[in-house]
């Protein structure tokens, strides 16, 4: 059944796109063998591998995967004692070099503190066979030829060959250049026949050179003769070439023996590099389709945001939001032909197959996909001519098989359910089939033209209507999926736009039942309400973005003012320090002069000099830098201690804020605007205590008076302290009545983010988590939904 579903949903076409991103024949073969998995642990692992590959591409660009060859047949032959040829050995060397280069690439990323887990684990299993690679490279050149340096014996033999060839050419050139010899030749050239050097002699001069005839021209006018003068040297050359061939065979046998020793390690390298190529093919494909890693579940919950069909060009596709498996398990989509109903069906089906194949899906981050044990699809007209089945019979044959196998862990896709027969009976069958699948517990999406199914979805708990939008003005579908709203027929509106008279249309309307009219009016009202809500949402979003921009500008301006203030204070401090320094020097000069006077006038006493110096020191200006070192007492003596919620002033910053938490009797966490900072008690000035706050801990207060922000900033904190802060913050947020909060952990090395996310998974008050979107802080923020 899964093979048929993959064919219907064009899974193989998706793989054709994926295969183009593989770097080697090994990776391409792995893609060809790819099929959806039904084990959630395997799927999670495959998804994580794709995610890590995408992370490497994002940070470092394409990984070095060149040089990989399918050497499995070669190493099998070496294992049983076979002799590998030059190209097979060269492929082994190339693969070893490629694997070694990729391993170094991963090691450098780890040294750069890029957080990776899967790739370092894979590469650690590969043993470096650099010595084998060098042995092969020293014996065989890049074109597959055995080098003279492969052995001293081969070098000696080839020197003999070159010497013999030189001697033969010299003798033959003397013949071709001589006046007597040249007139007996058809052409003054030296050529080769049967691996022996010969010259082209005119047939009538055959007996002038002696030797052997090796060939003749097609006309018989020219004979290719090996002159008697070079026969002996040609024989010696022939013997040397036989020796060369034997020596090359010995060298190849020796190298093959070295390969046979490393068969197991070579097999591991091939297996791992095949997996690596496959990982990066998936990652590159994810980048091409702007894919994201979905959240996985086995509860049949699907929440695909801005989902796009990967086989439809991006400039043509309209993203859709699809939700299934929460409050409702069945989705009935209605709307006109060519409106996008079948595309919606295929999008959900193919993206589910891709998810279960370990691939990222073309949706927004934070989308959720379910892992199903069975996937069924009845889409399109697949009637069998051989069986003489009608369209209806063909569909019913498929549906009968589906009904026999469907269970609560299934996803079922029906296209035009009940079509091809009497509308009344077809609609009744469709309702009955949907009821059966619903009661089994499966997740089902069905498209239909029948208006009866609109009422069915409206009146059944766990079933919801959806429709594809149609623009009556342009007479074109918009391909948008509208959840919760059934599709209108639009027949009357389209007919009027095309010019049909109002009289005929009004008469037609009189034949429509009152229930149908009510249904159409209800749908129209729902569509109008939805459009108004979308417009309001767009306006609200624009205002929110404007407010955020103004807020950011104000924060920046405040920071600039604070910097300017500090700059002015520093300048004043520097000027004052210069004045003090100058005054002190002048005072010392005066004291020295007074002492000189004392020598000449004993009446001037020491204590008088000391009093004079003290008065000079007191006359020096005092510096007011804004950084007061005094420790003022609390302005209200009736307050024994500060508690969370107290309004205070941080003296050193001249800023007002409120106490967030107590660290010790001498230190507190204080919230100053967007910043939370650790402040000494001596640097705090008590201002006020809100009436709603008592001496009780902050966690007992609910609502707005709780002074709990909707976000927790952990940046700059130590790991252990951060974990404690998260625990306490979650408790405070739950008691404050928050449904969603943000935890800012930053990107960094990823250790803090990983720790936070592990804690959130285990926390009893956490319903679900997701990574922040671009506007929320991206991967540096985790969004938490609370129970």
């Amino acid at each position: 059944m899964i093979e048929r579903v993959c064919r219907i949903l064009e899974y193989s076409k998706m793989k054709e796109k994926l295969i183009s991103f593989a770097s080697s024949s090994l990776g391409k073969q792995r893609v060809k063998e790819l099929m959806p998995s039904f084990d959630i642990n395997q799927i999670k692992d495959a998804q994580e591998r794709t995610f890590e590959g995408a992370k490497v591409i994002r940070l470092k660009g394409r990984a070095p995967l060149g040089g990989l060859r399918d050497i499995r047949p070669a190493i099998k032959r070496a294992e049983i004692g076979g002799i590998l040829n030059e190209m097979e050995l060269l492929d082994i060397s190339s693969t070893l070099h490629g694997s070694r280069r990729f391993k170094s690439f991963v090691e450098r990323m780890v040294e750069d503190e890029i957080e990776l887990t899967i790739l370092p684990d894979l590469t650690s299993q590969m043993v470096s066979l650099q010595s084998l690679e060098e042995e092969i490279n020293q014996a065989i050149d890049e074109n597959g030829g055995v080098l003279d340096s492969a052995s001293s014996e081969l070098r000696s033999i080839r020197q003999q060959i070159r010497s013999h060839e030189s001697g033969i050419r010299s003798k033959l050139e003397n013949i071709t250049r001589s006046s007597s010899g040249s007139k007996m030749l058809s052409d003054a050239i030296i050529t080769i026949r049967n691996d022996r050097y010969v010259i082209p002699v005119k047939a009538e001069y055959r007996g002038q050179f002696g030797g052997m005839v090796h060939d003749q021209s097609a006309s018989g006018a020219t004979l290719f003769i090996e002159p008697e003068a070079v026969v002996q040297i040609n024989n010696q050359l022939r013997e040397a070439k036989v020796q060369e061939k034997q020596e090359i065979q010995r060298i190849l046998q020796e190298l093959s023996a070295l390969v046979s020793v490393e068969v197991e390690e070579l097999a591991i390298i091939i297996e791992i590099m095949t997996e690596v190529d496959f990982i990066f093919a998936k990652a590159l494909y994810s980048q091409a389709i702007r894919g994201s890693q979905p959240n996985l579940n086995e509860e049949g919950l699907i929440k695909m945001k801005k989902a796009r069909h990967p086989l439809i060009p991006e400039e043509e596709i309209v993203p859709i939001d699809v939700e299934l498996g929460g409050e409702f398990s069945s989705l009935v989509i209605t709307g006109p032909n060519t409106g996008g109903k079948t595309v919606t069906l295929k999008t959900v089906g193919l993206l589910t197959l891709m998810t279960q194949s370990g691939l990222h899906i073309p949706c927004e981050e934070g989308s959720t996909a379910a892992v199903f044990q069975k996937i069924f699809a009845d889409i399109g007209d697949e009637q069998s001519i051989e069986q003489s089945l009608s369209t209806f019979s063909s569909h019913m044959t498929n549906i009968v098989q589906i009904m026999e196998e469907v269970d609560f862990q299934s996803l079922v896709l029906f296209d035009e359910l009940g079509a091809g027969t009497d509308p009344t009976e077809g609609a009744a069958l469709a309702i009955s089939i949907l009821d059966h699948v619903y009661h089994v517990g499966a997740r089902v999406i069905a498209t239909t033209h029948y208006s009866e199914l609109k009422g069915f979805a409206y009146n059944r708990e766990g079933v919801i209507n959806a429709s594809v939008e149609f623009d009556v003005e342009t007479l074109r579908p918009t391909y948008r999926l509208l959840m919760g709203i059934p599709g209108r027929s639009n027949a009357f509106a389209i007919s009027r736009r095309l010019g049909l008279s109002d009289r005929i249309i009004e008469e037609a309307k009189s034949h429509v039942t009152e229930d149908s009219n009510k249904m159409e009016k209800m749908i129209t009202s729902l569509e109008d309400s939805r459009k108004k809500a979308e417009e309001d949402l767009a306006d609200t979003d624009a205002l929110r973005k404007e407010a955020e921009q103004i807020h950011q500008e104000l924060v920046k301006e405040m920071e600039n003012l604070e910097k300017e203030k500090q700059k002015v204070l520093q300048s004043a401090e520097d000027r004052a320090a210069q004045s003090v320094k100058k005054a002190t020097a002048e005072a010392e000069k005066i004291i020295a002069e007074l002492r000189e006077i004392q020598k000449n006038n004993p009446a001037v006493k020491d204590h008088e000099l000391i009093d004079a110096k003290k008065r000079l020191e007191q006359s020096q200006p005092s510096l007011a830098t804004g950084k007061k070192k005094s420790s003022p007492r609390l302005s209200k003596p009736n307050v024994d201690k500060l508690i969370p919620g107290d309004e205070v002033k941080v003296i050193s910053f001249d800023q007002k804020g409120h106490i967030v938490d107590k660290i010790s009797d001498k230190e507190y966490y204080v919230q100053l605007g967007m910043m939370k900072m650790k402040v000494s008690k001596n640097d705090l000035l008590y201002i006020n205590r809100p009436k709603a706050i008592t001496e009780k801990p902050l966690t007992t207060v609910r609502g707005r008076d709780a002074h709990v922000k909707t976000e927790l900033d952990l940046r700059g904190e130590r790991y252990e302290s951060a974990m404690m802060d998260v625990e306490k913050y979650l408790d405070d947020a739950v008691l404050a009545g928050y449904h969603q909060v943000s935890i800012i952990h930053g990107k960094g090395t990823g250790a803090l983010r990983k720790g936070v996310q592990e804690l959130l998974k285990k926390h009893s008050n956490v319903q679900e988590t997701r990574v922040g979107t671009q506007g929320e802080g991206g991967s540096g923020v985790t969004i938490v939904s609370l129970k």
Side-chain angles (χ1 to χ4, degrees), residues 25-34 271 274-275 278:
S25 60
L26 294 165
K28 294 180 188 297
Q29 183 60 37
R30 180 65 183 276
V31 173
K32 288 179 182 177
E33 296 168 356
L34 178 65
E271 182 181 353
T274 299
E275 177 64 18
F278 179 56

Side-chain angles (χ1 to χ4, degrees), residues 560-576:
N560 291 336
L561 287 172
E562 185 63 29
K563 288 179 182 177
E564 189 65 28
K565 173 185 172 183
Q566 293 301 324
K567 186 177 179 181
V568 170
L569 287 173
Q570 185 64 43
S571 176
E573 183 178 345
D574 292 342
R575 289 198 302 272

Side-chain angles (χ1 to χ4, degrees), residues 326-340:
E327 297 179 2
F328 47 87
S329 61
S330 300
L331 177 63
V332 178
I333 306 174
T334 51
N337 284 330
T338 70

Side-chain angles (χ1 to χ4, degrees), residues 705-722:
D705 294 334
H707 291 281
V708 180
K709 297 196 71 178
T710 58
E711 63 182 31
L712 173 63
D713 193 343
L714 302 174
R715 290 175 292 184
E717 294 198 26
R718 297 181 63 184
Y719 182 87
E720 293 80 4
S721 176

